[in-house]
Amino acid sequence: MSSPKPRTFLQKVTSCLTLRNIRFLYLMPGFTRKVSRCPVCGAKPDKVEYQTRYTPLDHCGNCGHVYSRKTPGKRILHLMYEDLDYWKRDKEHQGITKIEYGPQWNGFIEARMGSAQRAGLINGSPKKFFEIGCSEGILLRALQDRGHEALGCEMNKPTAEAGMKALGVTIKTDLFEDLKLPDAYYDVVMSFHTIEHIPDLDRVFAKIAKILKPAGAVFVEVPTGPEEYPNPDHVQFFTDESLKRLLERYFEVGEIYPNHYTNLHGTVIGSLYGAGRRPKRSAN
Ligand SMILES: [Zn+2]
């Protein structure tokens, strides 16, 4: 992540007064929600794992999950993801500079399509895909080019609009939780590097299970490892165990594909892929 632009004292005061300062909003009542139990397994935290500039991160001794004690409400979420700069910062280090279909995306698309293929989610037959947090929509475009139906959502409006214009894809700009989507319609719901930003995992996973066909599958990628802790945009920090447990609450089969390694200092770095299959139907 690039460092934020330095701001003058007056700019800081103005951003507090106009409720545009995220650090200030984290201190005010009503803009965040307090999380007192593990969002994956419901156990009480056993220790503070890390202190970010906004909130302590609590550790669950039961499943190993680490999570923000304070999670952002809509006002803060919109401030975090409201401009195209977010997209630029995110893609810059991957060598991607333009929202335009071209060779600079090849590696990016192949990594995601390849992992989904290895998990058995993409084969010859055309399927219906939904992507949560699809950013500019390049993966939707790649899926469509391979004969699939693909729709996505992205709360960063400028990024979604630029992607729709440049790539000819359809992207919804509401939060996934708030979208109206048909029940039991999709073959695969995908999400790459997005669910670690989501405060309410329950609402999101219950909805994923609801919109999937009975034989459908969810496929997610999340970052893993302690070097993620300082990233203030993340509110969930998964371990192999906590991602598996989350999937198994909503799906009959949960599989984890670790994509991580331990460096010379013993730090775990990388990401986790998780797949859940055959959604369990909730009673209501
Ligand atoms: Zn837990």
Side-chain angles (χ1 to χ4, degrees), residues 99-272:
I99 301 185
E100 189 182 279
Y101 210 20
Q104 61 173 292
W105 288 98
N106 288 352
F108 182 92
I109 292 169
E110 274 158 29
R112 282 162 170 72
M113 297 287 257
S115 58
Q117 236 150 9
R118 283 190 293 279
L121 302 172
I122 302 176
N123 49 37
S125 62
K127 292 197 162 57
K128 295 185 172 78
F129 284 87
F130 190 92
E131 188 185 2
I132 303 171
C134 66
S135 190
E136 75 300 308
I138 195 77
L139 198 60
L140 303 177
R141 170 68 198 266
L143 286 163
Q144 284 175 10
D145 286 354
R146 288 159 177 78
H148 303 288
E149 182 183 314
L151 179 68
C153 67
E154 171 54 54
M155 70 174 300
N156 185 318
K157 245 184 177 164
T159 299
E161 278 163 5
M164 284 195 276
K165 209 169 144 210
L167 304 171
V169 292
T170 307
I171 301 171
K172 304 282 184 189
T173 54
D174 292 312
L175 281 177
F176 175 69
E177 302 91 293
D178 299 337
L179 279 177
K180 277 204 169 68
L181 295 169
D183 287 356
Y185 180 81
Y186 291 97
D187 295 292
V188 183
V189 173
M190 296 176 136
S191 190
F192 297 91
H193 291 269
T194 297
I195 63 167
E196 68 275 13
H197 299 259
I198 294 178
D200 193 342
L201 293 173
D202 269 319
R203 267 188 84 195
V204 167
F205 275 79
K207 180 153 179 165
I208 295 172
K210 201 162 169 258
I211 66 169
L212 280 171
K213 289 177 181 172
V218 63
F219 189 63
V220 298
E221 184 185 15
V222 294
T224 192
E227 85 286 357
E228 292 295 326
Y229 295 158
N231 186 339
D233 301 344
H234 293 183
V235 295
Q236 315 287 352
F237 303 86
F238 290 93
T239 60
D240 299 31
E241 176 68 16
S242 73
L243 184 59
K244 189 166 163 60
R245 283 202 192 205
L246 175 67
L247 292 168
E248 286 179 348
R249 269 176 42 205
Y250 296 93
F251 298 89
E252 279 181 18
V253 186
E255 296 142 85
I256 301 301
Y257 307 86
N259 184 30
H260 54 57
Y261 63 94
T262 306
N263 73 8
L264 288 173
H265 309 288
T267 307
V268 179
I269 295 172
S271 67
L272 288 171

Side-chain angles (χ1 to χ4, degrees), residues 38-43 60-65 67 242 245:
C38 173
V40 171
C41 75
C60 174
N62 191 38
C63 73
H65 196 64
Y67 53 97
S242 73
R245 283 202 192 205

